[in-house]
Amino acid sequence: MLANIALHTLDVAWRDQGQRLGVLIRYADDIVALCSTQHRAGQARELMVAVLAPLGLELHPAKTSIVHLHRGAQGFEFLGFHHHKVESWRWPGRYYLQRWPSARAMAAVRTKVRDATSVRQVGRSLTSVVADLNPVLRGWGGYFRRGNSARKFSTLDSYVQERLAILDNAKRGRPGRSWGLRHNSSWYARLGVYRLSGTVMPARTHA
């Protein structure tokens, strides 16, 4: 709320001076300016700096950059997603702006999964561990499902299965990373593990 109050000044300045430069997208203090040329992008950054300075605010130097999206040259992160243009396999030469969980978002959820399945949980039943883990997966997946996250979801599903197998082995006194036929898809299904794969709702923008 405080960010929206403070940055209303930027919204007004963009309406009056910045619309010629491109489109401003802001969610609280996360901002993206979509401009047609590098020159306009530079002007947009200068306008933001000039508007924010009297408020005692500044752009974060490590998180502020000008990227070139044309033909997948570069990408950017916004609200936890990595945005990148990807060439269509069906129509070569056409590029679509796609989005999937950023590396930072993936690292954060992996940390939560690792903590929920650590050896400290060895004294608990696996069904109890899964009961605590599922809301984390469901909430994270609910946010990132609207996009092009299928590969990331599959990667995280595999990580969850690996962590649960390791925990099961620890409960049974077996070597940590060696598991066999016991840890198959039916075993995970019986535990009621929430699966992210198959929950994605693709969203593509042609540009």
Side-chain angles (χ1 to χ4, degrees):
M1 183 181 293
L2 292 176
N4 286 331
I5 293 172
L7 295 178
H8 178 67
T9 303
L10 176 61
D11 297 337
V12 173
W14 191 270
R15 181 193 64 197
D16 297 339
Q17 306 171 49
Q19 286 192 16
R20 62 183 177 82
L21 301 176
V23 177
L24 184 73
I25 302 172
R26 183 177 71 80
Y27 184 85
D29 60 346
D30 287 326
I31 303 169
V32 170
L34 303 177
C35 307
S36 58
T37 67
Q38 183 176 357
H39 179 66
R40 288 187 176 184
Q43 289 181 310
R45 179 161 60 182
E46 292 173 2
L47 175 59
M48 292 183 197
V49 170
V51 172
L52 295 177
L55 302 175
L57 302 173
E58 61 182 16
L59 298 176
H60 194 296
K63 296 181 179 179
T64 303
S65 60
I66 295 176
V67 300
H68 187 40
L69 296 178
H70 182 64
R71 302 181 73 85
Q74 294 175 297
F76 68 95
E77 294 184 3
F78 185 55
L79 301 180
F81 284 92
H82 179 76
H83 300 254
H84 211 112
K85 279 193 174 181
V86 177
E87 186 174 12
S88 169
W89 60 269
R90 184 175 297 176
W91 298 288
R94 291 189 182 184
Y95 284 77
Y96 293 84
L97 186 62
Q98 299 189 355
R99 62 179 185 264
W100 52 81
S102 67
R104 183 177 180 182
M106 289 293 292
V109 73
R110 283 172 66 96
T111 296
K112 291 181 179 180
V113 171
R114 185 170 62 251
D115 290 344
T117 57
S118 72
V119 292
R120 296 191 303 272
Q121 309 295 332
V122 72
R124 302 178 64 204
S125 68
L126 288 177
T127 53
S128 296
V129 171
V130 170
D132 290 342
L133 181 60
N134 278 347
V136 174
L137 299 174
R138 189 177 289 108
W140 187 88
Y143 180 78
F144 287 106
R145 68 193 292 252
R146 295 184 179 275
N148 310 91
S149 306
R151 290 185 179 180
K152 298 298 184 181
F153 278 20
S154 178
T155 297
L156 188 56
D157 278 341
S158 296
Y159 182 67
V160 169
Q161 293 173 3
E162 175 187 347
R163 292 296 306 176
L164 287 171
I166 291 173
L167 179 59
D168 183 50
N169 282 341
K171 290 171 69 66
R172 295 169 176 273
R174 296 179 178 179
R177 293 187 175 275
S178 60
W179 58 87
L181 297 178
R182 169 181 169 80
H183 304 113
N184 53 33
S185 57
S186 297
W187 184 74
Y188 295 109
R190 287 195 300 272
L191 286 176
V193 181
Y194 180 77
R195 285 182 55 83
L196 293 161
S197 297
T199 64
V200 174
M201 298 181 65
R204 298 187 304 177
T205 302
H206 178 253

